[in-house]
Amino acid sequence: MTSQGDVAERKKNRELDALRRETSAVARLLKQAGMHELHQDLEQVKEKFDYVELRLSGESTESE
């Protein structure tokens, strides 16, 4: 037979495990969001380099 202390301890451990899993999930989401933001920044930089390269080559751009 289990005592009330054992039941309370197991409940507390389950709650802590759930919090750890949630924390890990949030950390993964934040990491993915940061990677997405980094990807967008890199795409913007690439577009700027492409524009500069086009200007240096002497070709006209559509916006001009």
Side-chain angles (χ1 to χ4, degrees):
M1 192 166 176
T2 60
S3 69
Q4 291 289 53
D6 289 341
V7 172
E9 186 69 22
R10 280 188 278 173
K11 181 180 177 183
K12 183 175 76 171
N13 286 335
R14 281 194 305 272
E15 290 172 350
L16 288 172
D17 288 341
L19 286 173
R20 284 187 193 103
R21 285 191 301 275
E22 290 173 9
T23 301
S24 294
V26 169
R28 280 192 303 276
L29 289 171
L30 289 172
K31 183 177 178 181
Q32 289 171 353
M35 296 299 261
H36 179 72
E37 185 176 314
L38 179 60
H39 176 75
Q40 287 178 326
D41 291 346
L42 288 172
E43 286 298 319
Q44 289 175 347
V45 169
K46 181 183 177 295
E47 289 173 9
K48 288 178 183 178
F49 275 125
D50 290 345
Y51 175 76
V52 168
E53 185 178 30
L54 185 66
R55 293 294 304 245
L56 290 174
S57 71
E59 296 179 33
S60 64
T61 62
E62 293 179 20
S63 62
E64 292 182 332

